[in-house]
Amino acid sequence: MERKLNFNAGPAALPGSVLQEAAAAVHEYKNTGLSILELPHRSKEFADIVAESKQLVKELCGLDDSYEVLWLQGGGRLQFCMVPMNFASEFLSAGYIDSGHWAEEASEYAAYYGDVQVLASSKEQKYNCLPAWPETVSQQLAYLHLTTNNTIYGTQWHKVPNAGVPLIADMSSDILSMQRDYTQYAMFYAAAQKNLGAAGTALAVIRKDMLKRIVRPVAPMLNYNEQVKQNSILNTANVFGVYTSLLMLRWTKEKGIVNIEQENRQKAGMLYDALDNSRIFTPYVMTKAHRSMMNVCFTAKTPEQEKAFVAMCEENNITGIKGHRSVGGFRVSLYNAIPVSSVATLVDIMKQFEALNA
Ligand SMILES: *Cc1c(COP(=O)(O)O)cnc(C)c1O
């Protein structure tokens, strides 16, 4: 099979070596005579997969044993529910920073379970920048929720101030993409299908003291404390999904976060440079300090040009560049697995397109 240059926002491109190993495990997992798809979730083999993956998450995030690592199901959105279900109530408000579609949806889900205060929003700017960080944060809040990278609009918090209350972050689209102080967070979570593996799996990392703050009776499946007690196998685990995430974690460790960050900066730099100097394409986010290294959004001058550019990309084996339906135009996702060479090819096609059309 000829692999496409895949810039999809998620499920996103995975490294070829990870795909090969995952495929081999579907055939047979480690001389067990079983496919990974047949491997019991209560087997020694799966316990080893969970243990190694938890260890790698802690190591790559620089966390000690004061944090618990969980593999959960239901992707990012189930965490939009579980976070407020466990930690917020009518009498215990939760603060939300509304920096994009997913951030807003997280706050809307939270309103089913507790009082929600939106402390900052860039909705009026159509999320083409980050909102200003709130000047004061009530110390009564159960937590403050933010989305570190806004996948649909292409903005990213490169620095996050401390809030004085527990910080909880959705890191679905930029986890392990750069060096970051993860100890700032009382909890963070990520849907796996961007930097961490296959859709349907979610990583949740929780500081242990948070487990004492669960505000209401929550059924075991949705209760962080119960999930911790059962070591992520409360129900039939997503064995293949967790294994794929382990392969991604091993790949990430081998490459090293420092090198990954350097490449991510290089890739984003190449693309934003091309956009800033273009006579046809315009970047969606003009505030340079707010630009995402993971998702780069832009438009062309006319719908006809946009169609023609998509067609030219397709001819050149490039896929996944169409923007989200709420923004239009283009979105190029540059997650960890995207090689610098793919971005160089794309930039080259952009320049050819410009030479033909400007
Ligand atoms: C992709 C994404 C989600 C949604 O994840 P699902 O697994 O589809 O629920 C949530 N938040 C962010 C920031 C995302 O990028």
Side-chain angles (χ1 to χ4, degrees), residues 164-181:
V165 298
L167 258 185
I168 298 185
D170 175 359
M171 298 189 183
S172 292
S173 53
D174 71 351
I175 193 156
L176 301 178
S177 66
M178 59 180 178
Q179 292 169 279
R180 164 188 278 151
D181 180 9

Side-chain angles (χ1 to χ4, degrees), residues 3-172:
R3 297 258 300 145
K4 291 200 169 167
L5 298 191
N6 176 8
F7 293 105
N8 268 306
L14 293 172
S17 61
V18 165
L19 294 176
Q20 270 169 16
E21 280 180 85
V26 168
H27 190 66
E28 183 183 14
Y29 184 69
K30 266 195 166 176
N31 301 318
T32 53
L34 296 176
S35 161
I36 186 92
L37 302 177
E38 301 168 324
L39 191 71
H41 62 295
R42 297 188 192 280
S43 61
K44 163 86 169 60
E45 285 81 6
F46 188 61
D48 289 346
I49 290 172
V50 170
E52 185 186 345
S53 62
K54 285 166 72 163
Q55 171 50 34
L56 278 173
V57 167
K58 284 192 191 169
E59 188 181 328
L60 292 166
C61 295
L63 300 174
D64 62 17
D65 289 338
S66 58
Y67 283 83
E68 294 283 358
V69 178
L70 291 174
W71 292 110
L72 301 172
Q73 300 180 44
R77 278 183 190 76
L78 196 60
Q79 295 312 299
F80 294 177
C81 305
M82 281 176 73
V83 166
M85 221 184 251
N86 281 265
F87 301 127
S89 73
E90 198 183 334
F91 311 105
L92 193 53
S93 306
Y96 278 74
I97 308 278
D98 174 25
S99 53
H101 171 87
W102 296 117
E104 185 186 37
E105 198 164 308
S107 74
E108 287 167 358
Y109 277 38
Y112 284 87
Y113 304 102
D115 180 60
V116 168
Q117 295 178 17
V118 177
L119 302 185
S121 174
S122 50
K123 189 172 186 167
E124 281 191 11
Q125 289 77 37
K126 299 200 171 116
Y127 300 121
N128 70 0
C129 59
L130 295 170
W133 193 261
E135 268 167 38
T136 54
V137 174
S138 159
Q139 299 302 296
Q140 312 303 316
L141 293 177
Y143 61 84
L144 178 62
H145 181 279
L146 84 151
T147 309
T148 49
N149 181 73
N150 299 286
T151 324
I152 290 177
Y153 303 90
T155 60
Q156 185 175 23
W157 294 97
H158 296 277
K159 269 211 187 98
V160 173
N162 282 321
V165 298
L167 258 185
I168 298 185
D170 175 359
M171 298 189 183
S172 292

Side-chain angles (χ1 to χ4, degrees), residues 169-275:
D170 175 359
M171 298 189 183
S172 292
S173 53
D174 71 351
I175 193 156
L176 301 178
S177 66
M178 59 180 178
Q179 292 169 279
R180 164 188 278 151
D181 180 9
Y182 287 91
T183 65
Q184 259 195 302
Y185 298 89
M187 174 179 171
F188 54 91
Y189 60 88
Q193 66 269 26
K194 283 103 187 206
N195 271 335
L196 264 188
T201 316
L203 171 72
V205 181
I206 309 182
R207 213 173 53 213
K208 283 179 181 160
D209 61 277
M210 292 299 286
L211 298 170
K212 300 195 187 97
R213 298 192 186 204
I214 298 175
V215 293
R216 61 165 63 80
V218 181
M221 183 66 187
L222 302 168
N223 184 316
Y224 289 123
N225 213 3
E226 290 299 323
Q227 288 284 1
V228 165
K229 280 190 202 154
Q230 303 289 331
N231 199 17
S232 299
I233 51 168
L234 188 149
N235 72 326
T236 312
N238 179 358
V239 172
F240 183 59
V242 175
Y243 180 62
T244 309
S245 288
L246 171 61
L247 295 177
M248 272 309 285
L249 289 164
R250 285 183 187 154
W251 178 89
T252 305
K253 182 180 170 182
E254 199 177 305
K255 226 170 144 121
I257 300 276
V258 172
N259 297 323
I260 285 177
E261 171 169 350
Q262 200 190 357
E263 277 190 18
N264 286 338
R265 284 190 190 287
Q266 192 185 350
K267 290 182 290 181
M270 285 158 67
L271 190 48
Y272 284 119
D273 257 9
L275 292 171

